[in-house]
């Protein structure tokens, strides 16, 4: 009789790409967690609207190809360290990014926000 494995799953995270802003600082890091099958974008510091869209385009393209082939259904956006607003990108996110990712199998989008957001 086999003993159930009670060890926590070891996350296997592969970094896909780092995105740099106009100042040369990393503003986003795209990674894939293969053991949990989700795509993660960690947002850091300030990004212009164009820089946000560039990073999201890469995320969308990955999801439409590799993510679709792997049955990836989840996106996680870690925005705890973000500065500024995404107001100028909402039209793109709502009318392009999400519909295209949904067609490629995305069913859940999770945003992790900073506790400072509510202060």
């Amino acid at each position: 009789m086999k003993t159930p494995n009670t060890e926590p799953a070891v996350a296997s995270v592969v970094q896909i790409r780092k995105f740099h802003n106009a100042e040369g600082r990393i503003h986003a890091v795209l990674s894939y967690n293969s053991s949990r099958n989700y795509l993660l974008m960690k947002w850091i510091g300030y990004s212009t609207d164009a820089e946000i869209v560039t990073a999201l385009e890469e995320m969308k393209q990955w999801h439409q190809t590799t993510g679709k082939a792997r049955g990836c259904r989840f996106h996680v956006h870690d925005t705890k360290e973000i500065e500024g607003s995404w107001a100028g990108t909402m039209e793109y996110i709502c009318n392009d990014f999400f519909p295209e990712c949904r067609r490629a199998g995305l069913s859940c989008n999770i945003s992790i926000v900073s506790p400072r957001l509510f202060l």
Side-chain angles (χ1 to χ4, degrees):
M1 182 168 155
K2 283 188 175 182
T3 305
N5 184 0
T6 58
E7 295 294 317
V10 176
S12 178
V13 178
V14 176
Q15 189 176 98
I16 297 168
R17 181 169 173 202
K18 290 181 181 178
F19 298 88
H20 294 82
N21 62 20
E23 297 173 349
R25 294 185 179 148
I26 296 170
H27 74 91
V29 179
L30 182 60
S31 302
Y32 173 66
N33 184 313
S34 61
S35 62
R36 306 255 190 230
N37 198 18
Y38 69 83
L39 193 57
L40 168 68
M41 184 73 83
K42 179 169 178 59
W43 298 93
I44 307 159
Y46 179 77
S47 307
T48 65
D49 291 346
E51 291 164 345
I52 293 167
V53 169
T54 296
L56 290 174
E57 273 293 307
E58 179 94 10
M59 187 177 206
K60 178 178 78 173
Q61 289 171 8
W62 185 95
H63 194 91
Q64 290 173 322
T65 56
T66 308
K68 186 175 183 177
R70 293 180 181 174
C72 179
R73 298 182 5 216
F74 300 94
H75 284 183
V76 177
H77 292 269
D78 182 346
T79 63
K80 292 186 308 271
E81 298 177 41
I82 199 168
E83 295 173 13
S85 165
W86 288 20
T89 63
M90 292 312 297
E91 184 175 332
Y92 163 78
I93 291 169
C94 294
N95 298 325
D96 184 317
F97 180 77
F98 279 137
E100 291 297 320
C101 287
R102 183 161 175 94
R103 278 191 272 286
L106 178 69
S107 63
C108 230
N109 184 73
I110 301 162
S111 291
I112 303 168
V113 298
S114 170
R116 296 184 319 246
L117 181 68
F118 303 103
L119 296 180

